[in-house]
Amino acid sequence: MQNITIAIDGFSSCGKSTLAKALAYKLNYKYIDTGAMYRAVTLFAIRKHWIDAEKNINTQALIGALPEIELGFANNPETHHSDITLNGENVEQEIRLMPVSSVVSKVSTIKEVREKMVALQRQMGKRKGVVMDGRDIGTNVFPKAELKLFMTADPEVRARRRADEYSSKGQYFSIEEIKHNLQQRDQEDLNRKEKKLIHDLQLLAQQNAPKT
Ligand code: DC
């Protein structure tokens, strides 16, 4: 059977990566978590102290340092999943923590960051046989993907998923706090001025909104 490209888009904590990992495992495809890539760039900026407590980003410094940022995915023999590496260091755990989660949407609005990530993603997926999840995969990274999926989930379910993820790493937040973070990120994701993302996400979110 011929390999294809599978694009999975949707908001945070809707189960995109769970589905993507399962598909990649079943089909023996490569799984690329593009959110992890934006998170790793964010971690890089945090470590350089280019993001302050008010979430102001030293954008120029970060843009200037983009050529120094090398991202990759390494197979984790314990989980059989691929962990993200930042300049050779496995940062899979650290990128999931609140300091990164609370500012990653802002970092991902930087045009130059997006350009670099999209170019890398296209390079990583050029041979097909790939499952890629994110926000702009079916619309921008691989508009010709043979299979495009968009995922949504109830806000309560999303918050619980995220709470479980944090608590498995020894971090505890109230569901309300997590919901607030998710809502903020949804807004930031939707209001991004980049390309067709806003339009496509709004349209898809409207079409898929749970009926009240
Ligand atoms: O899926 P996630 O929560 O790990 O994504 C982290 C952030 O990265 C999210 O706030 C939106 C951004 N992102 C993006 O702008 N484009 C992508 N393809 C993937 C993620």
Side-chain angles (χ1 to χ4, degrees):
M1 200 168 65
Q2 212 183 340
N3 279 351
I4 63 165
T5 301
I6 303 178
I8 305 180
D9 289 302
F11 293 117
S12 224
S13 304
C14 289
K16 299 187 302 293
S17 68
T18 306
L19 175 68
K21 281 175 196 166
L23 279 171
Y25 182 73
K26 185 92 184 159
L27 299 168
N28 200 18
Y29 276 19
K30 199 155 63 160
Y31 165 54
I32 307 288
D33 175 353
T34 65
M37 297 169 72
Y38 289 95
R39 285 170 178 272
V41 172
T42 305
L43 179 63
F44 179 89
I46 291 173
R47 285 178 172 178
K48 292 278 189 189
H49 306 287
W50 290 338
I51 304 181
D52 69 17
E54 274 76 48
K55 300 183 191 170
N56 298 306
I57 304 168
N58 185 341
T59 309
Q60 285 319 310
L62 178 56
I63 292 170
L66 282 175
E68 289 169 34
I69 301 178
E70 206 172 296
L71 302 179
F73 286 93
N75 184 48
N76 181 328
E78 279 170 34
T79 59
H80 303 292
H81 295 143
S82 45
D83 287 353
I84 187 139
T85 58
L86 168 62
N87 293 335
E89 176 191 349
N90 186 323
V91 290
E92 183 64 33
Q93 299 298 319
E94 206 175 341
I95 58 160
R96 309 284 165 198
L97 302 180
M98 199 49 113
V100 172
S101 295
S102 60
V103 77
V104 59
S105 308
K106 243 186 139 180
V107 171
S108 68
T109 61
I110 302 169
K111 187 171 146 271
E112 289 79 356
V113 170
R114 298 203 73 79
E115 282 167 1
K116 174 164 172 141
M117 295 305 106
V118 170
L120 256 172
Q121 288 153 13
R122 287 185 179 143
Q123 177 68 22
M124 288 171 170
K126 72 175 182 206
R127 294 213 182 97
K128 298 194 181 255
V130 70
V131 186
M132 204 171 272
D133 76 355
R135 304 295 189 284
D136 56 346
I137 311 304
T139 52
N140 183 34
V141 182
F142 288 115
K144 292 191 178 150
E146 290 84 353
L147 177 61
K148 297 181 186 181
L149 304 172
F150 184 85
M151 292 184 71
T152 56
D154 185 88
E156 195 69 34
V157 175
R158 293 173 62 198
R160 285 195 189 287
R161 292 178 63 89
R162 197 38 67 114
D164 289 346
E165 197 179 319
Y166 283 130
S167 62
S168 72
K169 296 183 174 80
Q171 292 215 316
Y172 300 93
F173 301 97
S174 71
I175 292 290
E176 284 317 308
E177 208 173 340
I178 292 176
K179 263 193 194 165
H180 177 71
N181 174 256
L182 288 175
Q183 271 164 3
Q184 220 173 10
R185 290 173 53 198
D186 287 356
Q187 278 315 309
E188 282 166 1
D189 286 351
L190 284 171
N191 292 327
R192 181 177 308 134
K193 292 188 194 71
E194 270 302 290
K195 295 244 171 166
K196 303 186 295 169
L197 184 70
I198 314 157
H199 173 260
D200 291 336
L201 272 180
Q202 272 171 340
L203 195 68
L204 286 164
Q206 273 165 16
Q207 286 168 353
N208 292 285
K211 305 278 175 293
T212 47

